[in-house]
Amino acid sequence: NGPQNKFRPRNIIIMTTKRLNIAIIGLGFGAEFIPIYQKYPHANLYAVCQRNREKAEAIAKAFGIEKVYTDYEELLKDPMIDAVHINTPIQNHAEQSIQALKAGKHVACTVPMATTVEECRQIVELTQQTGLTYMMMETVIYSREFLFVKEMYEKGELGKIQFLRASHQQEMAGWPGYWEGLPPMHYATHCVGPVAGLLKLEAEYVSCFGSGTIREELAKIHNSPFAVESAHIKFKNSDLSAYVYRSLFDVARQYRESFEVYGSKKSFEWALIEDEEHVVHTAKLPEHEIPAKVKVPDYAHLLPEGIRDFTTKGVYDVAENTHLSFTQGAGHGGSHPHLAHEFLMALVENRDPFPNAAQSANWTSVGILAHESAMEGGAIKYLPDYFNV
């Protein structure tokens, strides 16, 4: 099962006989999860929170939600709330997660977990101290492509895994201003998550190089000059390493979140262009027969019946309301209902979710330390041990 948090303290009891009251914070991308929670058998979408009251009340009315908050601290005082799902800007993730855990709430948070290693450590420590659950809602490890490769691996079709590679290339022009100039590896979990997550490996150290430069007005915001950052990750207690690369500005490339795995029997390679078919290579065949295009199936059958439709549709299906993450991200591979399902079942079953707090911290810290490495010319950076906090 891979690295896990320490045993959850016995004094934390999850009430499995009632629906869990969920509050969603941030209603841009976060609104995608409203109907999923509303149709989930163990959940009650209890409240929404958005600083803009007019927007918050409009969304609440559209979905029939009675409880509306514009102040996050006030929301956390509500004793009826069991868990919060945070979908706010990156710079708020750690602070809001820490506040929620201190207030006795379970936390699901969109990526990344934090922007500093110390914040990651604080969140992991709080889960250990309180027995509460934290899950980083990493979309790629619940995408249909990842689930397809995972199924192949578990059936033994890939053979021995030899190498993993992933990329996340995205043009962030037109996104909210807080994205401007962001170091590419500070938003790296979409490529780190799958290479670590397939075999549930722990990243031990990382080395990263920067390449090219972005416009000066962007570079000076975070003192981050690089157009592309590419990193090698060495995994602990494993013969495996992985290669990941990221770009956010001034690189001509269609959006691509790719994940590739190379095995002794078969290998999976992501299509170069969106909507094209992926490729599986099979060993020991005539050279022209080695590659074969494959149609990756949907995995809605793994979900409760009421939320299966959400692997192929969402709130933003209407063209004029399409969220940028869907325009560029192809609906995140149908991952949203899988993420909600894993978080809620972890609470119901009183177990760690995947990824748990320590795994989330490890994946996030790969990116944080990779950027530090790039700024130091590729210096090796060792990760903290979050699994023995």
Side-chain angles (χ1 to χ4, degrees), residues 32 88 200 246 339 341 387:
E32 275 297 322
T88 53
K200 296 190 176 176
R246 289 285 289 109
L339 286 164
H341 175 59
F387 301 93

Side-chain angles (χ1 to χ4, degrees), residues 99-377:
Q99 286 177 299
L101 291 167
K102 288 182 176 179
K105 313 299 184 187
H106 301 287
V107 175
C109 184
T110 190
V111 301
M113 181 188 230
T115 58
T116 70
V117 167
E118 179 54 34
E119 290 169 335
C120 290
R121 185 188 297 278
Q122 287 182 51
I123 294 170
V124 174
E125 288 177 346
L126 277 169
T127 63
Q128 296 302 318
Q129 293 163 9
T130 64
L132 293 163
T133 294
Y134 174 95
M135 177 181 171
M136 183 173 71
M137 304 293 263
E138 174 46 62
T139 56
V140 178
I141 61 167
Y142 288 96
S143 68
R144 56 183 66 90
E145 289 86 358
F146 184 88
L147 295 174
F148 175 71
V149 175
K150 179 174 177 282
E151 184 176 60
M152 290 179 68
Y153 171 67
E154 290 174 348
K155 288 180 176 179
E157 294 177 12
L158 299 177
K160 182 185 184 301
I161 303 302
Q162 304 287 24
F163 183 62
L164 303 118
R165 180 174 69 178
S167 73
H168 179 186
Q169 293 182 273
Q170 182 172 7
E171 175 55 60
M172 301 302 290
W175 284 71
Y178 57 81
W179 287 97
E180 292 181 349
L182 187 76
M185 282 291 172
H186 275 203
Y187 187 53
T189 65
H190 288 333
C191 52
V192 176
V195 299
L198 181 64
L199 278 68
K200 296 190 176 176
L201 300 170
E202 176 185 354
E204 183 177 14
Y205 58 86
V206 63
S207 173
C208 182
F209 288 98
S211 182
T213 52
I214 57 176
R215 286 160 284 157
E216 184 178 354
E217 64 269 25
L218 293 175
K220 67 183 182 182
I221 296 172
H222 293 280
N223 190 31
S224 176
F226 303 121
V228 179
E229 291 181 333
S230 57
H232 269 100
I233 305 163
K234 183 66 179 71
F235 295 110
K236 193 172 186 178
N237 301 322
S238 171
D239 62 355
L240 290 172
S241 66
Y243 174 69
V244 299
Y245 58 100
R246 289 285 289 109
S247 62
L248 290 169
F249 296 97
D250 296 345
V251 177
R253 182 64 171 90
Q254 183 189 41
Y255 183 99
R256 187 177 189 238
E257 284 180 19
S258 74
F259 163 57
E260 301 175 342
V261 56
Y262 296 86
S264 60
K265 294 181 179 179
K266 289 185 178 182
S267 299
F268 174 85
E269 289 188 331
W270 200 281
L272 286 172
I273 300 172
E274 190 174 330
D275 296 327
E276 290 191 350
E277 292 181 332
H278 305 301
V279 178
V280 169
H281 298 264
T282 302
K284 305 188 188 318
L285 292 178
E287 191 67 22
H288 69 282
E289 295 179 14
I290 290 174
K293 291 185 177 181
V294 293
K295 184 172 180 60
V296 173
D298 192 61
Y299 284 83
H301 64 277
L302 300 178
L303 299 166
E305 188 172 355
I307 63 169
R308 289 176 183 174
D309 286 349
F310 293 108
T311 63
T312 55
K313 70 176 184 179
V315 172
Y316 292 103
D317 283 350
V318 181
E320 61 267 25
N321 292 325
T322 300
H323 193 267
L324 270 172
S325 65
F326 271 58
T327 303
Q328 294 186 328
H332 293 153
S335 61
H336 297 172
H338 291 282
L339 286 164
H341 175 59
E342 173 65 9
F343 179 59
L344 290 164
M345 288 311 297
L347 298 182
V348 169
E349 296 172 354
N350 195 22
R351 62 169 173 82
D352 272 346
F354 177 65
N356 62 29
Q359 291 163 327
S360 302
N362 183 255
W363 301 355
T364 299
S365 294
V366 166
I368 294 168
L369 294 175
H371 176 64
E372 288 186 15
S373 172
M375 296 297 287
E376 296 175 25

